[in-house]
Amino acid sequence: MHGKLVEKKGLPARSKRYGDYQYKAMLKALADEGFTVISEARARGTYVYDDAVKVAAQVNDLLGKGVPARNITVSGFSKGGRMTAMISSLLENDEINYVILAGCRESDIDDYKLRLHGRVLSIYDRDDEYFGSCDALFATGGDALASDELVLTIGDGHGVFYRPLDAWVKPLADWAAVK
C-alpha cells in the first residue's frame, strides 16, 4: 500500500522534495522477486481505518480461497504502513507476514487500539522526519508476535521509499519468503 502522496495527486505522483513516486516500478520489483502483487491506488481522502478494513476483508477472502496465511504478506509505506499495522491488529492471525515501511506512530496504538499479530518487520530510514521505530507498537503484540526492525542509513528519510531500492525491497522479499 502506497503513501499519501499518491492519494493526493493520483498517478503519476511527484514530490517536490523526493521526486517521482515510482509506484509501478515498486510493484514490478516485488513481482520480479516472485510474488503475486495485489495493489491499487487509493482515492483522495481515504480514511486510514476504513481502507484497512477493506484490505483485511481482501486478505480474509484469500484465506477463504485456501491461500495459506504464511503465504500472505501485507505491506505498506507511510499511510500504507499505518494501515498495515491496523490490518495486523484486525486480522489477529499469527501466521500472516507484515512489513511496515516508515509507518509507525506511537499515537496510533491508542487511537486505533492496536495489538499486532503475525510476523511484523519494520523498515525505516534513520533520517525520516515523519515516522520512526515500531518498538512501542511491537510491545502490543505480546509473546506470540515475531518482529524485527531494520533501520536504513541511506539518509534520504521518507524519500527512501519513493523508489524500489534493494536496501528495502530485498529485506521485504526475504521476510515474505520465510515459510
Side-chain angles (χ1 to χ4, degrees), residues 136-156:
L137 193 56
F138 290 159
T140 70
D143 294 337
L145 182 70
S147 63
D148 199 3
E149 189 158 71
L150 173 61
V151 181
L152 302 176
T153 58
I154 296 169
D156 289 344

Side-chain angles (χ1 to χ4, degrees), residues 23 38-39 54 56 75 93 110 123 132 148 151 156:
Y23 178 73
I38 302 169
S39 183
K54 176 184 171 184
S75 180
N93 186 313
D110 291 330
I123 307 174
D148 199 3
V151 181
D156 289 344

Side-chain angles (χ1 to χ4, degrees), residues 29-52:
L30 294 170
D32 288 350
E33 290 289 332
F35 298 104
T36 299
V37 179
I38 302 169
S39 183
E40 63 183 51
R42 292 186 304 275
R44 177 179 223 130
T46 300
Y47 183 60
V48 65
Y49 184 78
D50 291 344
D51 215 54

Side-chain angles (χ1 to χ4, degrees), residues 107-125:
S107 61
D108 286 344
I109 296 169
D110 291 330
D111 291 348
Y112 297 102
K113 309 295 184 246
L114 298 180
R115 187 168 188 280
L116 293 184
H117 294 269
R119 297 181 64 253
V120 184
L121 173 65
S122 162
I123 307 174
Y124 70 98
D125 188 79

Side-chain angles (χ1 to χ4, degrees), residues 80-98:
R82 294 173 68 208
M83 290 168 43
T84 299
M86 290 175 199
I87 293 162
S88 168
S89 189
L90 288 166
L91 290 174
E92 298 181 352
N93 186 313
D94 291 330
E95 293 183 30
I96 296 174
N97 303 301
Y98 300 91

Side-chain angles (χ1 to χ4, degrees), residues 30 35 69-75 95 97-99 119 121 169-179:
L30 294 170
F35 298 104
R70 68 184 175 278
N71 290 355
I72 297 173
T73 300
V74 177
S75 180
E95 293 183 30
N97 303 301
Y98 300 91
V99 181
R119 297 181 64 253
L121 173 65
V169 171
K170 295 296 184 190
L172 185 157
D174 290 346
W175 190 262
V178 173
K179 303 292 182 238

